[in-house]
Amino acid sequence: MSVLEFALLVLAGTGAGLTGSIAGLASLISYPALLATGLSPVSANVTNTVALVANGVGSVSASGPELAGQRSRLLRLGGAGLAGGAVGAVLLLLTPSSAFEKVVPVLIAVASAAILVQRPARELAAQGAAEQAAHPHRDHWGVVLGTFAISIYGGYFGAAAGVLMLATFLLVLGVGVPQGNALKNVVLGLANSVAAIGYALFADVAWLAALPLAIGFLIGGRLGPRVARRVPQVLLRRVIAVAGLGLAVHLGLDAFG
């Protein structure tokens, strides 16, 4: 790996860490950056998941105030995240690389489209708070099962898994945006961690690429919670979503051409 590629991966990791901790869009930046270094789609995916552990460490370590008083909820949702991440990793390890190359353009396209049509986070939080007040006992198995399902996707590929999880937490739990974002960072961090262990043991991780990306993820993850309220998230989502759709078309042409 050249010095320029190393620096570009640190930069891509920082940008991905920022958007990941703020808006759950890390993989739509970091995954294409790894492909640009010449990695295969499967190797880029597992390398990205391993490096994402640093993003979880950075963002969670900066989210102490938002996580205060949520211990029991974290235990329930964190357990679902661990289990889902493990299932997703097993699915990827059992999936032929040719099949994954055909699936990933579809996943990126769906994730990018979901970003474009997602309602504003504050609007979701307001609706979630109203529904939680009307149904105060909804913070149980429904959200746990939803978290488990999203974590499977996160362990398998994960592009925009944070978007789906944040929307779920805001709508069902009735928490504010900072609290929902912090919960999302913890749960996806756990899902990524257990998947990363499996990939480190049984998959082709490009460690020379994972290191600079992880450095960037750690920096971006630490900065993300502090700038979340200042970033124009709607514009950010739209730009990344359009770029994601373009990437999906490019990868689809390669996979099916």
Side-chain angles (χ1 to χ4, degrees), residues 29 76 83 87 98 165 177 194 200 203 232 248:
I29 295 176
R76 289 194 299 273
V87 172
S98 58
M165 191 165 288
V177 177
V194 70

Side-chain angles (χ1 to χ4, degrees), residues 14-104:
T14 302
L18 273 169
T19 58
S21 61
I22 294 169
L25 305 174
S27 293
L28 286 181
I29 295 176
S30 53
Y31 178 74
L34 289 168
L35 291 178
T37 67
L39 295 182
S40 69
V42 174
S43 181
N45 186 46
V46 298
T47 301
N48 183 61
T49 299
V50 170
L52 269 170
V53 174
N55 186 54
V57 171
S59 58
V60 173
S61 66
S63 300
E66 290 80 10
L67 294 172
Q70 300 200 72
R71 181 179 177 182
S72 61
R73 177 176 282 166
L74 280 171
L75 289 175
R76 289 194 299 273
L77 300 181
L82 284 170
V87 172
V90 170
L91 288 175
L92 180 68
L93 292 171
L94 296 178
T95 301
S97 60
S98 58
F100 177 80
E101 291 176 15
K102 289 181 171 59
V103 169
V104 72

Side-chain angles (χ1 to χ4, degrees), residues 210-235:
L211 176 60
L213 194 63
I215 292 172
F217 273 140
L218 184 61
I219 296 170
R222 284 286 297 176
L223 294 175
R226 300 174 182 175
V227 301
R229 296 177 181 174
R230 301 181 181 180
V231 174
Q233 294 190 32
V234 173
L235 176 62

Side-chain angles (χ1 to χ4, degrees), residues 33-243:
L34 289 168
L35 291 178
T37 67
L39 295 182
S40 69
V42 174
S43 181
N45 186 46
V46 298
T47 301
N48 183 61
T49 299
V50 170
L52 269 170
V53 174
N55 186 54
V57 171
S59 58
V60 173
S61 66
S63 300
E66 290 80 10
L67 294 172
Q70 300 200 72
R71 181 179 177 182
S72 61
R73 177 176 282 166
L74 280 171
L75 289 175
R76 289 194 299 273
L77 300 181
L82 284 170
V87 172
V90 170
L91 288 175
L92 180 68
L93 292 171
L94 296 178
T95 301
S97 60
S98 58
F100 177 80
E101 291 176 15
K102 289 181 171 59
V103 169
V104 72
V106 178
L107 295 178
I108 293 177
V110 171
S112 300
I115 294 168
L116 283 176
V117 302
Q118 185 195 16
R119 293 160 57 192
R122 296 188 185 280
E123 182 181 330
L124 287 173
Q127 180 178 338
E131 294 188 7
Q132 184 70 6
H135 305 279
H137 300 295
R138 290 185 62 185
D139 185 3
H140 288 297
W141 292 111
V143 70
V144 172
L145 290 175
T147 300
F148 173 69
I150 296 170
S151 296
I152 292 176
Y153 171 61
Y156 182 80
F157 181 59
V163 173
L164 300 174
M165 191 165 288
L166 178 59
T168 298
F169 289 167
L170 294 180
L171 186 59
V172 179
L173 301 181
V175 295
V177 177
Q179 291 75 27
N181 205 41
L183 281 170
K184 175 261 297 178
N185 290 335
V186 172
V187 175
L188 278 185
L190 291 171
N192 285 329
S193 295
V194 70
I197 293 172
Y199 295 154
L201 293 174
F202 302 110
D204 182 22
V205 178
W207 294 103
L208 289 179
L211 176 60
L213 194 63
I215 292 172
F217 273 140
L218 184 61
I219 296 170
R222 284 286 297 176
L223 294 175
R226 300 174 182 175
V227 301
R229 296 177 181 174
R230 301 181 181 180
V231 174
Q233 294 190 32
V234 173
L235 176 62
L236 177 69
R237 291 176 187 276
R238 288 175 179 171
V239 169
I240 293 177
V242 171

